[in-house]
Amino acid sequence: MKNALITGITGQDGAYLSQHLLKEGYKVYGLIARRSTDTLWRLNYLGIENEVELIEGDMTDISSLIRAIKISKASEVYNLAAQSFVGTSWSQPILTAEVTGVGVTNILEAIRLLDPSIKFYQASTSEMFGLIQESMQSENTPFYPRSPYGVAKLYGHWITVNYRESFNIHASSGILFNHESPLRGIEFVTRKVTDAVAKIKLGLSDELRLGNIDAKRDWGFAGDYVEAMWMMLQQDKPDDYVIATGKTTTVRDMCKIAFDHVNLNYDDYVIIDPKFYRPAEVDVLLGNPTKAKEKLKWEPKTSLEDLIIMMVDADLGRIKKQQQRG
Ligand code: NAP
Ligand code: GDD
């Protein structure tokens, strides 16, 4: 049996990746940061809370990372932990740099010192393309990050490449475009929309305030994307891969899908609120997943329509349950 350690196990991707690795027969360990509130709701939602082993630690504390690697005896480490909300990266830029950027060096150093044969996955991002330099972004497109988060992730990407080249570590960087699910944090735009649509439909709200709805994203389903992470670490050689659908859609059209699903007109409810504008915007992202298709045999399976409908239905179900509980 193989052992895996996931940092960020309590996040959206951490939950789906745990589920996938358990299905593949792994013993799954996860790094859990100390919080005053419960962060296990996603693992709970998937019914796997008791199937994973949690080890306390923080990306900014290398001693805790060394301890987690020792306890888990992991042969694969998936580094998903991050301050991952772009908006927050302008109000907490230093924290973002330390967790999302330097945190990657902390875990790579722990691997280098303890056992450089451990395979490593870094959760890189399409945010690194930012002000896009090519209409469709591939592994060869130059980067131009537009947020403190994007800058921190670019550091994480290059330190991963550097440890691969310097120390021969099997370290791969997955450049994942936006991926969503019913387990998405409520601050991200898809989930903000699907939650609001459910509340409006059930008479609990009558408006949805958004920022730049002309922004375009290449959105896929998180459940499909975590499989690509695992596939990268099963390759003979480490490498970098773009994971995307190859389609881009405006926030406006994504909203339409969500409102249409419950027979409402988005125009009657959406209010543009400059409060949600960003100091620098990433106007459009569109990924070219050809390399992943050819080398990993990975393909996205879920359409944006199916994804948004899945999310609206999950939010309707969640709210109805809460109402029943009183
Ligand atoms: P998420 O839901 O925000 O999860 C982030 C995880 O990181 C949580 O488990 C969080 O723990 C943990 N974390 C935050 N600060 C930490 C710290 N100092 N020490 C230890 N753990 C810490 O993010 P996600 O959507 O699952 O994304 C997973 C990774 O992929 C992130 O690195 C993200 O930047 C990257 N990514 C995401 C997307 C996407 O579209 N989802 C696309 C490209 C790349 P708590 O639960 O305790 O806060
Ligand atoms: N969050 C949010 N809230 N975004 C809004 C809103 C709003 O009210 N209104 C418009 N938007 C626009 C944002 O300006 C952005 O252009 C787009 O919707 C998507 O925003 P998010 O869902 O917050 O995601 P993101 O693209 O900034 O970042 C996500 O994807 C990255 C990959 O490209 C995060 O998951 C990052 O961690 C990830 O790396």
Side-chain angles (χ1 to χ4, degrees), residues 65 166 205:
L65 301 177
S166 305
S205 174

Side-chain angles (χ1 to χ4, degrees), residues 18-299:
S18 298
Q19 188 181 46
H20 182 68
L21 294 179
L22 287 167
K23 261 193 223 138
E24 293 293 336
Y26 284 69
K27 171 101 182 129
V28 176
Y29 292 83
L31 188 80
I32 182 159
R34 203 259 154 201
R35 305 281 188 250
S36 60
T37 50
D38 175 37
T39 54
L40 297 177
W41 66 275
R42 294 182 172 97
L43 293 167
N44 242 318
Y45 186 95
L46 297 180
I48 55 173
E49 186 188 345
N50 297 323
E51 292 181 50
V52 298
E53 294 278 341
L54 300 172
I55 306 168
E56 262 200 345
D58 194 286
M59 294 309 294
T60 58
D61 181 344
I62 190 172
S63 65
S64 72
L65 301 177
I66 289 173
R67 187 171 163 269
I69 291 173
K70 277 191 174 166
I71 292 174
S72 65
K73 299 191 176 65
S75 59
E76 296 177 9
V77 171
Y78 295 84
N79 184 38
L80 310 186
Q83 189 304 95
S84 77
F85 186 50
V86 172
T88 295
S89 76
W90 278 283
S91 51
Q92 298 186 49
I94 312 294
L95 175 96
T96 303
E98 284 171 355
V99 176
T100 306
V102 178
V104 187
T105 310
N106 283 339
I107 188 124
L108 280 166
E109 269 297 275
I111 288 173
R112 183 181 73 81
L113 293 167
L114 289 175
D115 178 2
S117 75
I118 293 172
K119 293 182 179 177
F120 178 74
Y121 173 83
Q122 168 57 16
S124 291
T125 166
S126 48
E127 268 286 313
M128 301 187 308
F129 295 120
L131 187 63
I132 54 167
Q133 304 292 297
E134 284 181 317
S135 56
M136 211 171 183
Q137 300 89 55
S138 74
E139 296 79 6
N140 301 319
T141 303
F143 299 116
Y144 194 137
R146 292 273 277 175
S147 61
Y149 167 79
V151 173
K153 279 285 183 185
L154 191 52
Y155 170 84
H157 169 74
W158 281 119
I159 201 72
T160 301
V161 173
N162 182 262
Y163 270 55
R164 178 165 81 213
E165 294 176 354
S166 305
F167 305 115
N168 207 20
I169 292 176
H170 191 298
S172 290
S173 173
I175 306 173
L176 272 55
F177 283 61
N178 299 51
H179 45 280
E180 321 292 312
S181 73
L183 301 185
R184 189 57 145 151
I186 200 94
E187 65 273 36
F188 300 94
V189 75
T190 52
R191 181 77 204 294
K192 181 173 172 181
V193 168
T194 62
D195 178 68
V197 164
K199 286 188 175 131
I200 291 168
K201 185 66 186 175
L202 296 173
L204 300 173
S205 174
D206 56 7
E207 64 172 38
L208 166 58
R209 291 184 172 267
L210 293 174
N212 175 17
I213 61 172
D214 294 317
K216 292 173 111 181
R217 288 293 182 274
D218 180 331
W219 279 296
F221 172 48
D224 295 343
Y225 283 39
V226 297
E227 292 183 14
M229 300 175 183
W230 172 73
M231 286 169 172
M232 285 177 216
L233 297 206
Q234 309 318 305
Q235 302 303 301
D236 288 340
K237 288 194 178 144
D239 208 341
D240 307 324
Y241 296 91
V242 159
I243 302 297
T245 69
K247 288 185 192 138
T248 191
T249 308
T250 58
V251 172
R252 182 193 307 275
D253 286 342
M254 179 270 293
C255 277
K256 277 189 197 163
I257 298 171
F259 279 94
D260 282 355
H261 178 54
V262 295
N263 300 314
L264 295 174
N265 180 2
Y266 89 100
D267 230 1
D268 296 337
Y269 301 97
V270 171
I271 296 169
I272 302 303
D273 187 339
K275 188 169 88 184
F276 296 107
Y277 289 156
R278 291 173 175 180
E281 178 62 289
V282 172
D283 294 318
V284 54
L285 290 172
L286 172 61
N288 177 354
T290 305
K291 179 174 170 183
K293 279 186 189 170
E294 287 178 1
K295 293 207 166 169
L296 302 179
K297 311 288 176 225
W298 177 87
E299 288 209 49

